[in-house]
Amino acid sequence: MNAQALHGHLDALLLAVLERGALHGYAIIEALRARSDGLLDLPTGTVYPALRRLERAGHVVSAWSTVNGRERRTYELTDAGRRALADQRTGWREFSATVGRFLDSGHPSTASS
Amino acid sequence: MNAQALHGHLDALLLAVLERGALHGYAIIEALRARSDGLLDLPTGTVYPALRRLERAGHVVSAWSTVNGRERRTYELTDAGRRALADQRTGWREFSATVGRFLDSGHPSTASS
DNA sequence: TCCGACAAGTAGCGTTCCTACCTATGAACG
DNA sequence: CGTTCATAGGTAGGAACGCTACTTGTCGGA
């Protein structure tokens, strides 16, 4: 499940990660991987453009911070970003409930992972 | 939520609807709308091509049935389609659990619908 | 007869994400 | 001192997916 199906939810995921505190791009990727047990292993070519989209949209702001003489662009949620995240959460719940009505039913089979 | 976010799950939805019995294209659209309380209102231009993709993939078979002199192409799940649906269900559960880990947390707020 | 609802279909487009590259810094190693 | 690796950021191009808009055709009612 290499994020092929993320369509439309990538931004929400990024905002959710940043909700816990500002991070730079690479750290965001690592956070996603860690918090998803390695299921979400997004390439930089996916995340960096997405972050810039979010910045253009005003959902995050970025700043260069120099750590160990290493330039890292740290992204932080804006107020609008927080609102957007709330919206995305609502949208996600609606979406997953709707699709789940068709796909969660049937044979539960699994039960445990 | 006009299905912008369906990406990758449309096929699964269609298979799930057909699981309950063969239907023609238009009826599938109505079934989706009905079973989702109107949230899933897919245009024909989305559903018809998808059904033909599913047929090319061997997940459904279609047959013309003439009802009142009206030609209706009725789609039916194949065995492979049933297997595909099971796979899609698994994929959906994994996906929704993973994304949900980021988006379902936070403020549950809802409680009632 | 003409119009609207049903039914199927097609063409072209925009969004979204991925693959594959490129650049640059700092540390380790020879 | 130069090479190589891991970290970190970035871009270009393309593929997949679904949407909008349009077309065709039948049937029933005004």
Side-chain angles (χ1 to χ4, degrees):
Chain A
M1 203 264 285
N2 241 351
Q4 258 85 326
L6 279 186
H7 294 257
H9 301 115
L10 209 218
D11 292 6
L13 247 27
L14 297 177
L15 293 176
V17 168
L18 288 176
E19 196 183 24
R20 297 194 174 179
L23 289 174
H24 63 278
Y26 209 81
I28 290 173
I29 293 174
E30 291 177 329
L32 281 166
R33 191 166 44 220
R35 284 179 62 186
S36 70
D37 293 329
L39 284 161
L40 251 35
D41 195 3
L42 306 185
T44 65
T46 295
V47 173
Y48 289 128
L51 286 170
R52 319 198 106 224
R53 272 199 300 273
L54 288 174
E55 185 164 30
R56 264 208 311 278
H59 294 338
V60 301
V61 284
S62 70
W64 285 107
S65 28
T66 309
V67 178
N68 297 335
R70 192 70 147 284
E71 297 294 299
R72 306 194 293 185
R73 177 164 279 192
T74 302
Y75 291 87
E76 191 178 2
L77 223 49
T78 63
D79 232 45
R82 233 169 284 274
R83 278 193 298 275
L85 176 54
D87 278 0
Q88 303 263 27
R89 279 211 159 96
T90 303
W92 163 255
R93 292 214 183 86
E94 189 175 68
F95 169 72
S96 73
T98 303
V99 177
R101 201 176 306 186
F102 293 89
L103 295 183
D104 280 337
S105 56
H107 55 124
S109 70
T110 48
S112 71
S113 73
Chain B
M1 202 263 288
N2 241 351
Q4 258 87 322
L6 281 185
H7 293 257
H9 300 117
L10 210 217
D11 293 6
L13 248 25
L14 296 178
L15 294 175
V17 167
L18 288 175
E19 198 183 23
R20 299 195 172 177
L23 289 174
H24 64 279
Y26 208 81
I28 291 173
I29 293 174
E30 290 178 329
L32 282 166
R33 190 167 44 219
R35 283 179 62 187
S36 71
D37 293 331
L39 284 162
L40 250 36
D41 195 4
L42 307 185
T44 66
T46 295
V47 173
Y48 290 127
L51 286 170
R52 319 196 108 224
R53 273 198 300 271
L54 287 174
E55 185 164 32
R56 266 206 310 278
H59 294 338
V60 301
V61 284
S62 70
W64 284 107
S65 30
T66 310
V67 178
N68 295 335
R70 193 69 148 282
E71 297 295 297
R72 304 193 297 184
R73 176 165 280 192
T74 303
Y75 291 87
E76 192 176 2
L77 223 50
T78 64
D79 231 44
R82 235 169 282 273
R83 279 194 298 276
L85 176 55
D87 278 1
Q88 303 263 28
R89 280 212 160 94
T90 303
W92 163 253
R93 292 213 183 86
E94 189 175 69
F95 168 72
S96 72
T98 303
V99 178
R101 203 176 304 186
F102 293 88
L103 296 184
D104 280 339
S105 55
H107 55 124
S109 69
T110 48
S112 72
S113 68

